[in-house]
Amino acid sequence: ALPAQLVAKRSVTGLFCYSEDDSNTKKRTVGADRFRVEWETLTGGELLDKCASQSSDYYYYTTTFKNDGADWWRGAVGDDVVDALPRKTSLWVGGNGSTTQAHYDVADNILGQCVGTKRIRCWAPSSHWTMRPFPDAHPLARKAQIDVEEMPDPDLDVVLEPGDALAIPAFWFHHCEARDLSASINTFFPAAQAKRAAVVFQTPDPGGPLVEALAEFVDDAPAFARKVHATRYAPLEEWYAALRDD
């Protein structure tokens, strides 16, 4: 059961990814042409029909537990499932070819397949330079700039069927492609690496190897480290606290 009315993404390339400019209608083409999307208001039934028959226009819809609340989620997936879900949980619906561009997250991730099938390709963090992710300050941060055909052979290549789940560690790149009408849920958990990084970057005057490494690239390494913490890691602290409260 989807919301009676929703806003889905539409793309002629089939590639989708989260952008921090999604809410800014004047910047919907940030990055590259292959990430250009439009927004379309549909009923839940219309979305499913379009996903089931898509060929030239591809559709993708996502929502979170926080956005729609427990009542809708209970109607969609049942009381017992909702009671067990962390609050950082999302639903993903798409059709054959609807694809989330390879990217990494800074939290551990469990992806569960509910309807249809989805191909997941994963790359270890050691592939970072080869994947050429957008820089951290870019609205498309953490997404690979290259096409999947240019990426190295994945470290893991699986097709999820209904009832399957896949644990994706933080900082692992993952490229997710629906093979038919597909619905998945995922939930995030705090990653030890990100927590440790937050501790490093909240240090008033980071020293030692960190500053030495940064000094090769920036004029004021301690100031740069503090800026990275303020923009990238400090916002996660509240999120971690909320997860712990759950």
Side-chain angles (χ1 to χ4, degrees), residues 1-3 6 47 60-65 68 72-73 76-77 85 88-94 111-112 114-115 118 182-187:
L2 290 169
L6 51 83
L47 172 68
Y60 213 41
Y61 171 70
T62 184
T63 187
T64 65
F65 186 103
D68 287 306
W72 179 82
W73 278 79
V77 299
L85 287 177
K88 189 65 175 179
T89 299
S90 299
L91 170 73
W92 309 85
V93 178
L111 176 67
C114 302
V115 176
K118 180 171 285 187
S182 168
S184 313
I185 60 172
N186 88 292
T187 190

Side-chain angles (χ1 to χ4, degrees), residues 14-17 60 92 98-103 174-177:
L15 281 178
F16 298 88
C17 63
Y60 213 41
W92 309 85
S98 294
T99 301
T100 302
Q101 170 71 354
H103 66 285
H174 44 289
H175 189 84
C176 309
E177 179 185 356

